[in-house]
Amino acid sequence: MLKVTVELWPNGRESGRRVIATADIGRVADGAHADYKVRLSEVGVGTAGTGHVRAYPRWSASVWDLVARSIATALGGNADELPPRPTLPDVPLHTTVDGTQYVRLREIPEPARTHFAQRREGSACPLIAEDAEPRGCAYAHDWFHFLQG
């Protein structure tokens, strides 16, 4: 089995490193043209994708070729074609009667929702009385700052 680990090193410092994602790639059928099963995981999100690379010519390329094709397959493409480049989440912007702009957390797709929630932990959040989930909202400016990195 291959295990690919993605670590985040804040400000390039190893001392603060933490694992944020892994890929497990296991051979499930042997031979010159082997089959592989792949599972991608993200910390705080769980499984990010699964897939199979079938009839891969084991000794024909670098291990990185297998890794790239495995990731592409697990993200919903196939081993020979990468899926389309992702775009920023399209989240509706809402405005209260007094002009406060906000986003609904339930309308933010995963994994952005989980990462946004972790980033804004401890921050002020609006209480939007007219929303079905008054505490399930965030200020629009916090969302835009998150998207900008």
Side-chain angles (χ1 to χ4, degrees):
M1 176 184 293
L2 297 173
K3 183 164 198 97
V4 179
T5 303
V6 180
E7 293 180 340
L8 178 66
W9 289 27
N11 299 316
R13 295 189 181 153
E14 185 178 5
S15 62
R17 77 181 186 194
R18 66 181 193 273
V19 173
I20 60 171
T22 59
D24 296 319
I25 304 167
R27 193 173 65 235
V28 293
D30 223 350
H33 289 87
D35 292 346
Y36 294 86
K37 186 174 169 184
V38 60
R39 180 177 175 273
L40 305 179
S41 301
E42 290 186 47
V43 173
V45 176
T47 300
T50 60
H52 288 87
V53 176
R54 300 188 194 290
Y56 183 78
R58 288 177 61 194
W59 299 285
S60 64
S62 162
V63 67
W64 291 110
D65 184 76
L66 173 60
V67 169
R69 292 173 192 281
S70 296
I71 291 170
T73 299
L75 291 176
N78 67 49
D80 297 319
E81 180 180 300
L82 290 174
R85 180 184 294 262
T87 59
L88 290 176
D90 187 22
V91 177
L93 187 62
H94 304 279
T95 306
T96 64
V97 292
D98 69 354
T100 301
Q101 292 189 316
Y102 69 98
V103 294
R104 294 178 176 139
L105 299 178
R106 66 185 177 273
E107 295 176 342
I108 300 173
E110 290 294 356
R113 180 184 321 148
T114 297
H115 293 294
F116 179 57
Q118 290 171 344
R119 174 74 68 82
R120 62 183 283 276
E121 199 169 287
S123 296
C125 65
L127 178 61
I128 309 297
E130 61 258 31
D131 196 89
E133 294 178 27
R135 296 192 183 275
C137 302
Y139 289 110
H141 64 266
D142 287 338
W143 173 245
F144 294 134
H145 284 130
F146 169 76
L147 291 177
Q148 292 170 359

